[in-house]
Amino acid sequence: MSEAAERQGKETCVPVLTASNVVRRFGGLVAVNNVSFHVKAGEILGLIGPNGAGKTTMFDLLAGSILPTSGDILLNGTRVSGEAAHLRIGRGLGRTFQIPRPLPNLTLIENIMLAAQGQAGEKLLANFLTPWRVAAQEKAARTKALELLELVTLSHLAHEPARVLSGGQRKLLELARVMMADPAIILLDEPAAGVNATLLEVIIDRIRDINARGITFLLIEHNIDMVTRLCHRVLVMASGQLLSEGTAEEVARDPRVIEAYLGGTA
């Protein structure tokens, strides 16, 4: 079990991630309007809603890409509302993006190794004063990166440049890369977008496998079949507000959700 997952396990009584009365304004536009929810340790929570509902803005707020106008965001009970994204990564929050952008000319293993945290070799003097430590950490990082490539079924391409990957394979690479940072929770931004049916099954299986290791997930997704198969709970946003919460079956029967998606037609 990863160090972050062990830390998460010790704090099971505290939600891994909490949004409390979060508001985000862009001038006169209220993109997120007084949204509150929590993510339980070990669950896969889905966040769905029609286009323009505020889902991506909510993800950006949780990840630290943008800061809330008001309200609080807590990670394992610690307030992180004003922290930048790189500080939240250090606290165990990882994020993938709808359109992955690996460094195309680096190999897959090199792309993953870049996400390793706390590497002594990042400091210039350490390479001269403690080269053995730098070498040992790099060896460990390479071994871990290979294991993660095996996990996401890309080990046969470990030494190929990332530019050769298909869209679905890039999603798998990004999943491996975020795992390199030992997250306690991963925010997945539309993992099914642009992925063929075969690779989508692989992605679903890998998410389940990683979740079984104790890693929590919050995912935005338009593929309702994927949400139904994966998510323990589902949140629905519309017009910047939290509209409904429950199992996939429960929210699908909610008249407010039907109205938001279909304009009131069943």
Side-chain angles (χ1 to χ4, degrees):
M1 182 179 291
S2 71
E3 182 178 322
E6 288 178 1
R7 181 172 65 246
Q8 173 180 310
K10 294 175 183 177
E11 301 173 355
T12 52
C13 59
V14 177
V16 182
L17 186 63
T18 301
S20 180
N21 304 118
V22 173
V23 174
R24 175 63 196 198
R25 296 187 178 92
F26 296 96
L29 172 67
V30 183
V32 173
N33 188 5
N34 200 37
V35 171
S36 297
F37 63 87
H38 65 275
V39 189
K40 302 173 186 176
E43 78 171 332
I44 303 176
L45 178 65
L47 178 60
I48 67 172
N51 290 330
K55 305 182 302 296
T56 298
T57 301
M58 190 73 238
F59 250 41
D60 287 342
L61 290 164
L62 295 172
S65 302
I66 59 176
L67 301 181
T69 304
S70 62
D72 284 322
I73 294 167
L74 290 84
L75 187 57
N76 284 320
T78 299
R79 186 177 183 273
V80 296
S81 309
E83 288 189 351
H86 71 279
L87 296 176
R88 299 188 198 189
I89 292 171
R91 291 185 182 274
L93 186 147
R95 184 204 178 155
T96 68
F97 293 86
Q98 180 182 349
I99 302 175
R101 291 186 174 88
L103 295 172
N105 294 323
L106 294 186
T107 65
L108 271 62
I109 192 169
E110 289 169 339
N111 266 277
I112 294 174
M113 288 177 67
L114 285 174
Q117 301 293 297
Q119 296 293 293
E122 294 174 358
K123 298 177 180 178
L124 182 61
L125 282 179
N127 291 277
F128 297 99
L129 300 178
T130 56
W132 59 89
R133 183 184 176 205
V134 173
Q137 285 187 336
E138 184 171 346
K139 182 180 179 181
R142 182 172 293 272
T143 298
K144 182 177 179 180
L146 283 170
E147 291 172 351
L148 290 171
L149 281 171
E150 182 73 30
L151 173 67
V152 299
T153 69
L154 293 176
S155 57
H156 61 295
L157 298 171
H159 302 290
E160 295 295 320
R163 65 174 179 270
V164 307
L165 299 181
S166 68
Q169 289 173 325
R170 290 185 180 207
K171 300 265 186 175
L172 288 166
L173 175 62
E174 184 155 290
L175 188 57
R177 185 163 58 178
V178 76
M179 283 291 291
M180 191 70 180
D182 282 328
I185 179 169
I186 299 174
L187 309 183
L188 290 178
D189 192 348
E190 296 199 35
V195 178
N196 67 46
T198 300
L199 275 178
L200 181 57
E201 290 302 314
V202 176
I203 291 171
I204 289 173
D205 286 344
R206 296 292 78 78
I207 292 171
R208 284 176 174 153
D209 289 345
I210 293 169
N211 180 244
R213 297 181 176 199
I215 309 300
T216 302
F217 284 92
L218 171 60
L219 66 93
I220 292 176
E221 188 49 67
H222 286 288
N223 186 318
I224 301 302
D225 177 63
M226 182 182 189
V227 170
T228 301
R229 292 169 62 187
L230 274 177
C231 296
H232 307 136
R233 289 189 300 134
V234 178
L235 306 175
V236 184
M237 285 186 69
S239 302
Q241 296 180 305
L242 189 60
L243 189 66
S244 184
E245 177 181 348
T247 66
E249 293 78 11
E250 288 169 346
V251 300
R253 294 194 299 266
D254 189 325
R256 297 171 298 174
V257 176
I258 296 171
E259 174 71 27
Y261 271 100
L262 302 175
T265 58

mmCIF file of all heavy atoms in Angstrom, residues 91-120:
data_model
loop_
_atom_site.group_PDB
_atom_site.id
_atom_site.type_symbol
_atom_site.label_atom_id
_atom_site.label_comp_id
_atom_site.label_asym_id
_atom_site.label_seq_id
_atom_site.Cartn_x
_atom_site.Cartn_y
_atom_site.Cartn_z
ATOM 1 N N ARG A 91 0.293 16.848 -0.587
ATOM 2 C CA ARG A 91 -0.616 16.389 0.479
ATOM 3 C C ARG A 91 -1.418 15.147 0.072
ATOM 4 O O ARG A 91 -2.234 14.659 0.833
ATOM 5 C CB ARG A 91 -1.587 17.516 0.855
ATOM 6 C CG ARG A 91 -0.949 18.693 1.567
ATOM 7 C CD ARG A 91 -2.029 19.668 1.996
ATOM 8 N NE ARG A 91 -1.510 20.844 2.647
ATOM 9 C CZ ARG A 91 -1.228 20.934 3.949
ATOM 10 N NH1 ARG A 91 -1.413 19.870 4.727
ATOM 11 N NH2 ARG A 91 -0.759 22.049 4.474
ATOM 12 N N GLY A 92 -1.195 14.668 -1.153
ATOM 13 C CA GLY A 92 -1.845 13.427 -1.560
ATOM 14 C C GLY A 92 -2.993 13.562 -2.524
ATOM 15 O O GLY A 92 -3.768 12.623 -2.706
ATOM 16 N N LEU A 93 -3.123 14.722 -3.178
ATOM 17 C CA LEU A 93 -4.193 14.910 -4.159
ATOM 18 C C LEU A 93 -3.601 14.955 -5.560
ATOM 19 O O LEU A 93 -2.801 15.830 -5.882
ATOM 20 C CB LEU A 93 -4.978 16.196 -3.869
ATOM 21 C CG LEU A 93 -6.217 16.437 -4.733
ATOM 22 C CD1 LEU A 93 -7.291 17.178 -3.929
ATOM 23 C CD2 LEU A 93 -5.890 17.264 -5.987
ATOM 24 N N GLY A 94 -3.987 13.991 -6.394
ATOM 25 C CA GLY A 94 -3.531 13.952 -7.780
ATOM 26 C C GLY A 94 -4.670 14.251 -8.729
ATOM 27 O O GLY A 94 -5.842 14.091 -8.380
ATOM 28 N N ARG A 95 -4.325 14.660 -9.954
ATOM 29 C CA ARG A 95 -5.353 15.013 -10.930
ATOM 30 C C ARG A 95 -4.919 14.632 -12.341
ATOM 31 O O ARG A 95 -3.755 14.810 -12.706
ATOM 32 C CB ARG A 95 -5.632 16.518 -10.898
ATOM 33 C CG ARG A 95 -6.770 16.899 -11.832
ATOM 34 C CD ARG A 95 -6.720 18.325 -12.281
ATOM 35 N NE ARG A 95 -7.818 18.611 -13.209
ATOM 36 C CZ ARG A 95 -8.327 19.800 -13.413
ATOM 37 N NH1 ARG A 95 -7.848 20.845 -12.754
ATOM 38 N NH2 ARG A 95 -9.297 19.983 -14.273
ATOM 39 N N THR A 96 -5.849 14.081 -13.112
ATOM 40 C CA THR A 96 -5.618 13.879 -14.532
ATOM 41 C C THR A 96 -6.464 14.893 -15.303
ATOM 42 O O THR A 96 -7.333 15.557 -14.740
ATOM 43 C CB THR A 96 -6.013 12.462 -14.982
ATOM 44 O OG1 THR A 96 -7.439 12.306 -14.883
ATOM 45 C CG2 THR A 96 -5.328 11.403 -14.119
ATOM 46 N N PHE A 97 -6.205 14.999 -16.611
ATOM 47 C CA PHE A 97 -6.899 15.976 -17.440
ATOM 48 C C PHE A 97 -7.631 15.292 -18.582
ATOM 49 O O PHE A 97 -7.258 14.201 -19.029
ATOM 50 C CB PHE A 97 -5.919 17.012 -17.989
ATOM 51 C CG PHE A 97 -5.335 17.901 -16.932
ATOM 52 C CD1 PHE A 97 -4.200 17.516 -16.229
ATOM 53 C CD2 PHE A 97 -5.937 19.105 -16.613
ATOM 54 C CE1 PHE A 97 -3.670 18.330 -15.232
ATOM 55 C CE2 PHE A 97 -5.422 19.930 -15.619
ATOM 56 C CZ PHE A 97 -4.285 19.538 -14.928
ATOM 57 N N GLN A 98 -8.697 15.948 -19.063
ATOM 58 C CA GLN A 98 -9.503 15.398 -20.146
ATOM 59 C C GLN A 98 -8.657 15.130 -21.384
ATOM 60 O O GLN A 98 -8.824 14.117 -22.061
ATOM 61 C CB GLN A 98 -10.637 16.360 -20.485
ATOM 62 C CG GLN A 98 -11.540 15.863 -21.612
ATOM 63 C CD GLN A 98 -12.635 16.860 -21.949
ATOM 64 O OE1 GLN A 98 -12.858 17.824 -21.237
ATOM 65 N NE2 GLN A 98 -13.318 16.632 -23.054
ATOM 66 N N ILE A 99 -7.731 16.053 -21.688
ATOM 67 C CA ILE A 99 -6.829 15.866 -22.822
ATOM 68 C C ILE A 99 -5.408 15.736 -22.261
ATOM 69 O O ILE A 99 -4.780 16.740 -21.904
ATOM 70 C CB ILE A 99 -6.907 17.045 -23.802
ATOM 71 C CG1 ILE A 99 -8.344 17.219 -24.308
ATOM 72 C CG2 ILE A 99 -5.951 16.835 -24.973
ATOM 73 C CD1 ILE A 99 -8.548 18.427 -25.194
ATOM 74 N N PRO A 100 -4.888 14.506 -22.135
ATOM 75 C CA PRO A 100 -3.544 14.324 -21.579
ATOM 76 C C PRO A 100 -2.489 14.937 -22.498
ATOM 77 O O PRO A 100 -2.612 14.866 -23.733
ATOM 78 C CB PRO A 100 -3.389 12.801 -21.512
ATOM 79 C CG PRO A 100 -4.767 12.253 -21.656
ATOM 80 C CD PRO A 100 -5.528 13.233 -22.470
ATOM 81 N N ARG A 101 -1.470 15.523 -21.911
ATOM 82 C CA ARG A 101 -0.391 16.127 -22.697
ATOM 83 C C ARG A 101 0.959 15.636 -22.163
ATOM 84 O O ARG A 101 1.684 16.393 -21.512
ATOM 85 C CB ARG A 101 -0.476 17.650 -22.645
ATOM 86 C CG ARG A 101 -1.680 18.213 -23.395
ATOM 87 C CD ARG A 101 -1.649 19.732 -23.446
ATOM 88 N NE ARG A 101 -2.721 20.265 -24.270
ATOM 89 C CZ ARG A 101 -3.938 20.540 -23.830
ATOM 90 N NH1 ARG A 101 -4.248 20.344 -22.563
ATOM 91 N NH2 ARG A 101 -4.860 21.022 -24.654
ATOM 92 N N PRO A 102 1.296 14.377 -22.443
ATOM 93 C CA PRO A 102 2.620 13.902 -22.033
ATOM 94 C C PRO A 102 3.698 14.624 -22.845
ATOM 95 O O PRO A 102 3.415 15.212 -23.899
ATOM 96 C CB PRO A 102 2.580 12.415 -22.378
ATOM 97 C CG PRO A 102 1.585 12.314 -23.493
ATOM 98 C CD PRO A 102 0.548 13.363 -23.202
ATOM 99 N N LEU A 103 4.913 14.590 -22.362
ATOM 100 C CA LEU A 103 6.024 15.166 -23.120
ATOM 101 C C LEU A 103 6.329 14.196 -24.267
ATOM 102 O O LEU A 103 6.804 13.084 -24.035
ATOM 103 C CB LEU A 103 7.232 15.363 -22.213
ATOM 104 C CG LEU A 103 6.996 16.385 -21.094
ATOM 105 C CD1 LEU A 103 8.154 16.405 -20.107
ATOM 106 C CD2 LEU A 103 6.787 17.776 -21.671
ATOM 107 N N PRO A 104 6.046 14.594 -25.500
ATOM 108 C CA PRO A 104 6.004 13.635 -26.615
ATOM 109 C C PRO A 104 7.324 12.967 -26.952
ATOM 110 O O PRO A 104 7.342 11.825 -27.430
ATOM 111 C CB PRO A 104 5.493 14.480 -27.783
ATOM 112 C CG PRO A 104 5.827 15.887 -27.424
ATOM 113 C CD PRO A 104 5.715 15.955 -25.938
ATOM 114 N N ASN A 105 8.434 13.654 -26.727
ATOM 115 C CA ASN A 105 9.727 13.095 -27.122
ATOM 116 C C ASN A 105 10.414 12.308 -26.008
ATOM 117 O O ASN A 105 11.450 11.677 -26.254
ATOM 118 C CB ASN A 105 10.650 14.212 -27.620
ATOM 119 C CG ASN A 105 10.129 14.843 -28.898
ATOM 120 O OD1 ASN A 105 9.577 14.155 -29.759
ATOM 121 N ND2 ASN A 105 10.281 16.152 -29.033
ATOM 122 N N LEU A 106 9.832 12.344 -24.809
ATOM 123 C CA LEU A 106 10.354 11.510 -23.732
ATOM 124 C C LEU A 106 9.676 10.147 -23.790
ATOM 125 O O LEU A 106 8.538 10.019 -24.240
ATOM 126 C CB LEU A 106 10.089 12.152 -22.372
ATOM 127 C CG LEU A 106 10.806 13.468 -22.064
ATOM 128 C CD1 LEU A 106 10.548 13.873 -20.613
ATOM 129 C CD2 LEU A 106 12.309 13.364 -22.326
ATOM 130 N N THR A 107 10.370 9.124 -23.315
ATOM 131 C CA THR A 107 9.783 7.793 -23.282
ATOM 132 C C THR A 107 8.689 7.729 -22.227
ATOM 133 O O THR A 107 8.579 8.617 -21.363
ATOM 134 C CB THR A 107 10.846 6.737 -22.961
ATOM 135 O OG1 THR A 107 11.338 6.961 -21.637
ATOM 136 C CG2 THR A 107 11.989 6.793 -23.951
ATOM 137 N N LEU A 108 7.908 6.672 -22.275
ATOM 138 C CA LEU A 108 6.846 6.516 -21.288
ATOM 139 C C LEU A 108 7.418 6.472 -19.881
ATOM 140 O O LEU A 108 6.900 7.119 -18.967
ATOM 141 C CB LEU A 108 6.045 5.232 -21.567
ATOM 142 C CG LEU A 108 4.854 5.361 -22.526
ATOM 143 C CD1 LEU A 108 5.310 5.803 -23.915
ATOM 144 C CD2 LEU A 108 4.088 4.051 -22.601
ATOM 145 N N ILE A 109 8.496 5.721 -19.701
ATOM 146 C CA ILE A 109 9.068 5.596 -18.362
ATOM 147 C C ILE A 109 9.607 6.941 -17.884
ATOM 148 O O ILE A 109 9.488 7.289 -16.707
ATOM 149 C CB ILE A 109 10.147 4.487 -18.325
ATOM 150 C CG1 ILE A 109 10.509 4.174 -16.868
ATOM 151 C CG2 ILE A 109 11.379 4.852 -19.132
ATOM 152 C CD1 ILE A 109 11.352 2.930 -16.723
ATOM 153 N N GLU A 110 10.183 7.728 -18.786
ATOM 154 C CA GLU A 110 10.680 9.052 -18.402
ATOM 155 C C GLU A 110 9.535 9.980 -18.015
ATOM 156 O O GLU A 110 9.650 10.755 -17.060
ATOM 157 C CB GLU A 110 11.499 9.651 -19.551
ATOM 158 C CG GLU A 110 12.834 8.958 -19.773
ATOM 159 C CD GLU A 110 13.504 9.377 -21.067
ATOM 160 O OE1 GLU A 110 12.802 9.876 -21.992
ATOM 161 O OE2 GLU A 110 14.730 9.196 -21.170
ATOM 162 N N ASN A 111 8.420 9.914 -18.746
ATOM 163 C CA ASN A 111 7.261 10.733 -18.408
ATOM 164 C C ASN A 111 6.765 10.418 -17.005
ATOM 165 O O ASN A 111 6.403 11.323 -16.245
ATOM 166 C CB ASN A 111 6.134 10.485 -19.426
ATOM 167 C CG ASN A 111 6.136 11.479 -20.571
ATOM 168 O OD1 ASN A 111 5.607 12.585 -20.451
ATOM 169 N ND2 ASN A 111 6.748 11.089 -21.677
ATOM 170 N N ILE A 112 6.739 9.150 -16.641
ATOM 171 C CA ILE A 112 6.250 8.763 -15.319
ATOM 172 C C ILE A 112 7.243 9.165 -14.233
ATOM 173 O O ILE A 112 6.853 9.675 -13.177
ATOM 174 C CB ILE A 112 5.980 7.246 -15.273
ATOM 175 C CG1 ILE A 112 4.828 6.899 -16.210
ATOM 176 C CG2 ILE A 112 5.640 6.807 -13.853
ATOM 177 C CD1 ILE A 112 4.569 5.411 -16.339
ATOM 178 N N MET A 113 8.528 8.977 -14.481
ATOM 179 C CA MET A 113 9.545 9.302 -13.477
ATOM 180 C C MET A 113 9.552 10.787 -13.118
ATOM 181 O O MET A 113 9.924 11.156 -12.006
ATOM 182 C CB MET A 113 10.921 8.856 -13.959
ATOM 183 C CG MET A 113 11.104 7.346 -13.950
ATOM 184 S SD MET A 113 12.712 6.826 -14.622
ATOM 185 C CE MET A 113 13.833 7.483 -13.373
ATOM 186 N N LEU A 114 9.115 11.631 -14.051
ATOM 187 C CA LEU A 114 9.062 13.066 -13.769
ATOM 188 C C LEU A 114 8.109 13.397 -12.623
ATOM 189 O O LEU A 114 8.234 14.444 -11.988
ATOM 190 C CB LEU A 114 8.626 13.836 -15.017
ATOM 191 C CG LEU A 114 9.667 14.004 -16.122
ATOM 192 C CD1 LEU A 114 9.029 14.651 -17.342
ATOM 193 C CD2 LEU A 114 10.847 14.834 -15.629
ATOM 194 N N ALA A 115 7.152 12.498 -12.351
ATOM 195 C CA ALA A 115 6.162 12.756 -11.300
ATOM 196 C C ALA A 115 6.613 12.287 -9.923
ATOM 197 O O ALA A 115 5.897 12.491 -8.939
ATOM 198 C CB ALA A 115 4.842 12.079 -11.654
ATOM 199 N N ALA A 116 7.788 11.679 -9.828
ATOM 200 C CA ALA A 116 8.280 11.227 -8.525
ATOM 201 C C ALA A 116 8.495 12.415 -7.602
ATOM 202 O O ALA A 116 9.010 13.457 -8.016
ATOM 203 C CB ALA A 116 9.589 10.453 -8.693
ATOM 204 N N GLN A 117 8.083 12.259 -6.354
ATOM 205 C CA GLN A 117 8.149 13.350 -5.388
ATOM 206 C C GLN A 117 9.398 13.242 -4.513
ATOM 207 O O GLN A 117 9.894 12.156 -4.231
ATOM 208 C CB GLN A 117 6.901 13.332 -4.488
ATOM 209 C CG GLN A 117 5.596 13.463 -5.235
ATOM 210 C CD GLN A 117 5.418 14.811 -5.892
ATOM 211 O OE1 GLN A 117 5.365 15.839 -5.219
ATOM 212 N NE2 GLN A 117 5.329 14.833 -7.209
ATOM 213 N N GLY A 118 9.915 14.412 -4.075
ATOM 214 C CA GLY A 118 10.995 14.451 -3.089
ATOM 215 C C GLY A 118 12.300 13.856 -3.563
ATOM 216 O O GLY A 118 13.026 13.207 -2.783
ATOM 217 N N GLN A 119 12.638 14.042 -4.827
ATOM 218 C CA GLN A 119 13.885 13.484 -5.361
ATOM 219 C C GLN A 119 15.073 14.391 -5.029
ATOM 220 O O GLN A 119 15.066 15.581 -5.341
ATOM 221 C CB GLN A 119 13.777 13.316 -6.876
ATOM 222 C CG GLN A 119 12.720 12.326 -7.308
ATOM 223 C CD GLN A 119 13.051 10.908 -6.905
ATOM 224 O OE1 GLN A 119 13.998 10.313 -7.398
ATOM 225 N NE2 GLN A 119 12.270 10.361 -5.977
ATOM 226 N N ALA A 120 16.098 13.816 -4.388
ATOM 227 C CA ALA A 120 17.284 14.595 -4.004
ATOM 228 C C ALA A 120 17.969 15.205 -5.223
ATOM 229 O O ALA A 120 18.542 16.296 -5.152
ATOM 230 C CB ALA A 120 18.265 13.706 -3.240
#
